Amino acid sequence: SVESRPALEGRIETSPGRWMPLEVFVGEDFAKLRVGRFFPQRGAWPPPPGTFLVERNGGFFLPGDLGSRYRVELPGGERVEATLSGVAYDPGQAQSSIEGVVYAYVTPQTLSAWGYAPNGTRILIRTKAGSQAEAIAQASASVLESMGIRVGSVDASDHPKHPHQFQIDSVLTLLGAIALVSLLICAVLVANLV
């Protein structure tokens, strides 16, 4: 499956004078997401033009509820007013509360309403299990470049991982070590009591 999903970085005003980083993802057709899927939690789906969805963990930073208006600063420095119309769950994103970034989802019509045209796009490709994702990504990039399309970067993994997989693995290893030490201490205590 192949899908175009432009992304842009900006800022969102979470309270007067307090701005946070914002990553905005543009979905062409919210009803037919095939790659990098995210799911509705509450509110509008898809977001009406001029509005946005927030990843559910990003609500931690936004004091209002559905219908609240926020100032958004786009990459060129332009500022627009946007209404929060819904909450989405994106299992592929790192948590906003850990990353310190709010993730938003909009339609191309919203970008047009904001007067913003993305400079380029992202192409998401999902391959079958066991395929060589890195090789497919590099081949796709070569085809695009042969057509005169500049490829900024290629990010591929044959074994996709959660953005915080290293931290999760570290905590699980630590918990396993604590459990082993606890077992050894209990064994010594039982041996000494018997």
Side-chain angles (χ1 to χ4, degrees), residues 6 11 15 36 42 54 90 117 120 122 149 151 163 165 170-171 176 190:
R11 298 188 315 157
S15 61
R42 61 188 177 100
V54 67
D90 188 343
R122 290 184 321 154
I149 299 170
V151 176
Q165 191 63 48
S170 299
V171 169
V190 168

Side-chain angles (χ1 to χ4, degrees), residues 8-138:
L8 54 113
E9 295 180 355
R11 298 188 315 157
I12 187 166
E13 190 174 33
T14 58
S15 61
R18 184 169 186 266
W19 293 83
M20 287 197 63
L22 176 71
E23 285 190 30
V24 180
F25 301 99
V26 184
E28 294 287 333
D29 187 351
F30 281 61
K32 296 181 181 175
L33 297 172
R34 298 180 313 261
V35 183
R37 294 172 55 191
F38 48 94
F39 307 93
Q41 291 284 291
R42 61 188 177 100
W45 186 268
T51 70
F52 68 99
L53 302 177
V54 67
E55 206 287 325
R56 68 182 182 180
N57 195 251
F60 175 80
F61 297 109
L62 303 179
D65 200 4
L66 299 182
S68 296
R69 295 188 56 76
Y70 295 92
R71 288 196 319 161
V72 172
E73 185 177 274
L74 301 172
E78 304 89 3
R79 292 186 176 169
V80 296
E81 292 281 327
T83 302
L84 174 61
S85 63
V87 177
Y89 168 56
D90 188 343
Q93 288 296 350
Q95 289 186 340
S96 293
S97 57
I98 293 174
E99 294 293 310
V101 175
V102 176
Y103 303 107
Y105 305 88
V106 300
T107 61
Q109 294 80 11
T110 295
L111 283 190
S112 295
W114 289 350
Y116 185 80
N119 184 14
T121 189
R122 290 184 321 154
I123 297 177
L124 306 178
I125 302 172
R126 183 177 68 197
T127 61
K128 291 183 180 181
S131 63
Q132 301 296 321
E134 183 67 37
I136 293 170
Q138 292 300 335

Side-chain angles (χ1 to χ4, degrees), residues 133-134 136-142 145 151-156:
E134 183 67 37
I136 293 170
Q138 292 300 335
S140 300
S142 296
E145 287 174 338
V151 176
S153 66
V154 175
D155 183 20

